[in-house]
Amino acid sequence: MALGKVYVGGLPDDATSKEIAGESCQGLLTGLVTAEEERLEITNCFATARSEPVLDDESAQPTNNQNEEVKQQEMLDMLRKFRNMNIDYELVGFYQVHPFGACFNQDLVDSLNEYQTSFKDGVVLIYDPVKTRQGQLSLKAYRLSVAALDLCAKGDWSPEAVKAVSLTYETMFEELPITIKNSRLTNVMIAELALAPGKVPEKTAAHLELGTKRSLEKCVRTMMSNIDEMNKSIGAFTKYTSEKQRHDANIFNMTQKREVENEQRKQRGEPPISFDDIKRLKGPTLQTKNGMLESFLASADTEALAEFCTKVTGENIAKLFLAEAIAIDKRDTKDRSTSSVSGR
C-alpha cells in the first residue's frame, strides 16, 4: 500500500533533537486509510512523553507501572483532543528520529509488530536530521514484511525458522513510497514567498557545503561498531553450523545402526526398538539473544549507514568538480581582464 498524504509539521527539528541529550525523539501518527485508492494518509502527529528508565528491582515495579499508565493517559488525552477538534484521531503508526537513517533495532521491531498486529497498515516514519540539515529532507516509511510478522508471532528466530520462510535482512522490512502534500493555503503561501523579492536565505548554502567530515566520521564509527556486532554473530553462527553438522551426522549414524539392529531383531522374531529416544536428542542452539534477528538488524543498519556515506561522498565529489570549474572560470576571467589592462 502506497503512502499518500504525509504531514510532517509535527516532527521535531534539530534543536529539539539536541535537547533530548542523545535520546531518540519519537511520537505517534494519526490518519486514515482510503480503501478505494489503497493508500494510507497520515494527517497529524504528536510527540510522546520521554520514556522513564525501567528498573529491574522488584520493589520498583509499581513505579514502572505508574510511569506506563501516565504515558498511556497522555496519549489518550491527546487523541481525545484531536477528536474534539474534528481531526483524524486513528493511530496509524509512529515516527522516530535517527541520524543517518540507521533505525533498525529490537525496539523498532517490537513496536512495529505491536502496531501491525492491531492495525495491519501501521507504519513507522524515520526522520534523518543530519541529511535534512545538509539541505535535503529525509523521510522514509517502513513496515515489517509478512514473513517477519509470522516469525515475531512465533517468537522463533532460529536459522531453521528463518530459512523456512526465506527471510533475509533485505526482505525483513518493506520500504513504502511517500508523497508529501500540503494544503492549498500552504501552497499559496509558499508561492508568495518564492515570488517575494529579497535575498536568498542563508540555509540554501547547505546544498553546496563541503564540511561533512564530522557527520561522515560519526557514520563510519557507527558502521564499525555494527560490523563488530556482525562479526560476533557470524562467529556464533559458524560455531552453530559446525555443531549442527556434527549433531546431524550423529543422528544419522544412530538411525542407521538402529535400522540395522531392528532388521536383525526382525529376523530373530523380536519386536523392533523405537526411534523415539533418538528423536528426543536436543540439537545445538544459536548462542545469540534473539537468534538471527540480531544479525539481520545489524546488517540492515550497516546498509543504511553505507547508503548515507555513498550519497554524501558522491555529492561532495560533484561539488568539488563544480567548485573547481567555478575557480578556473574566475581565474580565466581575471587573466583576460589583466591582459586587456596591460594592452592599454
Side-chain angles (χ1 to χ4, degrees):
M1 177 177 292
L3 287 179
K5 183 187 300 182
V6 179
Y7 178 80
V8 297
L11 292 177
D13 55 11
D14 299 333
T16 307
S17 303
K18 295 176 182 178
E19 294 175 359
I20 304 301
E23 183 178 348
S24 295
C25 300
Q26 59 185 3
L28 300 178
L29 303 171
T30 61
L32 51 89
V33 176
T34 56
E36 62 278 1
E37 298 181 7
E38 294 187 350
R39 70 178 184 182
L40 172 65
E41 292 189 359
I42 300 173
T43 56
N44 215 322
C45 60
F46 61 92
T48 55
R50 294 178 62 182
S51 57
E52 298 294 335
V54 178
L55 304 179
D56 297 332
D57 190 4
E58 294 181 358
S59 60
Q61 189 62 33
T63 304
N64 295 333
N65 294 337
Q66 184 179 2
N67 293 334
E68 188 64 28
E69 291 177 359
V70 171
K71 290 172 58 179
Q72 292 293 331
Q73 188 61 39
E74 290 182 359
M75 180 186 71
L76 294 176
D77 290 341
M78 183 62 71
L79 294 178
R80 191 178 299 110
K81 293 176 181 177
F82 278 11
R83 182 175 55 189
N84 294 337
M85 298 173 62
N86 198 23
I87 298 176
D88 296 329
Y89 60 91
E90 182 180 2
L91 285 178
V92 296
F94 60 101
Y95 72 84
Q96 290 183 348
V97 175
H98 289 277
F100 318 115
C103 59
F104 305 100
N105 52 43
Q106 180 70 48
D107 293 337
L108 180 72
V109 174
D110 294 339
S111 300
L112 275 176
N113 180 39
E114 181 179 352
Y115 273 92
Q116 291 184 237
T117 302
S118 57
F119 179 70
K120 65 177 183 179
D121 296 314
V123 298
V124 56
L125 282 183
I126 302 300
Y127 170 70
D128 182 5
V130 177
K131 197 167 185 62
T132 303
R133 193 183 302 119
Q134 294 173 359
Q136 301 180 26
L137 176 63
S138 177
L139 282 176
K140 290 187 177 182
Y142 295 102
R143 66 180 177 188
L144 290 174
S145 62
V146 177
L149 280 175
D150 292 340
L151 291 182
C152 288
K154 297 176 183 177
D156 183 12
W157 288 91
S158 62
E160 290 79 12
V162 171
K163 184 178 180 180
V165 297
S166 302
L167 186 67
T168 65
Y169 80 92
E170 296 174 328
T171 59
M172 182 176 177
F173 294 93
E174 296 178 357
E175 184 177 355
L176 305 176
I178 297 178
T179 302
I180 301 178
K181 292 186 177 180
N182 295 319
S183 65
R184 291 181 175 83
L185 290 177
T186 304
N187 289 333
V188 171
M189 183 189 69
I190 294 176
E192 290 181 351
L193 291 176
L195 297 175
K199 65 177 182 179
V200 180
E202 294 181 358
K203 287 187 177 181
T204 56
H207 292 283
L208 298 176
E209 182 182 357
L210 297 176
T212 56
K213 178 181 177 181
R214 183 180 302 176
S215 60
L216 276 177
E217 181 180 356
K218 186 176 181 180
C219 182
V220 172
R221 288 185 181 276
T222 308
M223 194 187 309
M224 293 171 59
S225 177
N226 286 342
I227 291 176
D228 290 339
E229 294 296 327
M230 290 174 60
N231 286 331
K232 294 179 182 178
S233 300
I234 291 173
F237 183 76
T238 303
K239 181 180 179 182
Y240 165 81
T241 302
S242 60
E243 292 178 353
K244 184 73 166 52
Q245 290 176 349
R246 288 196 296 267
H247 174 77
D248 292 343
N250 187 28
I251 293 294
F252 178 78
N253 293 332
M254 294 177 66
T255 303
Q256 291 292 103
K257 293 173 65 175
R258 183 64 55 85
E259 288 178 352
V260 173
E261 185 178 357
N262 285 340
E263 188 66 25
Q264 295 175 354
R265 293 174 65 90
K266 183 179 180 181
Q267 293 176 358
R268 295 194 300 265
E270 299 176 356
I273 302 176
S274 174
F275 290 86
D276 292 341
D277 57 336
I278 299 178
K279 295 179 180 179
R280 284 195 296 266
L281 291 177
K282 188 176 181 181
T285 57
L286 186 62
Q287 299 300 317
T288 56
K289 184 178 180 181
N290 292 308
M292 297 294 293
L293 180 59
E294 294 180 0
S295 59
F296 281 1
L297 294 176
S299 300
D301 226 35
T302 304
E303 184 180 29
L305 293 169
E307 182 182 357
F308 176 86
C309 290
T310 302
K311 288 184 177 179
V312 170
T313 51
E315 293 169 358
N316 282 350
I317 292 174
K319 293 173 185 177
L320 286 173
F321 278 113
L322 178 61
E324 183 180 4
I326 294 174
I328 293 175
D329 183 65
K330 286 185 176 180
R331 185 177 59 194
D332 293 342
T333 304
K334 184 177 180 181
D335 291 342
R336 285 195 300 268
S337 61
T338 304
S339 300
S340 61
V341 171
S342 301
R344 291 179 183 177

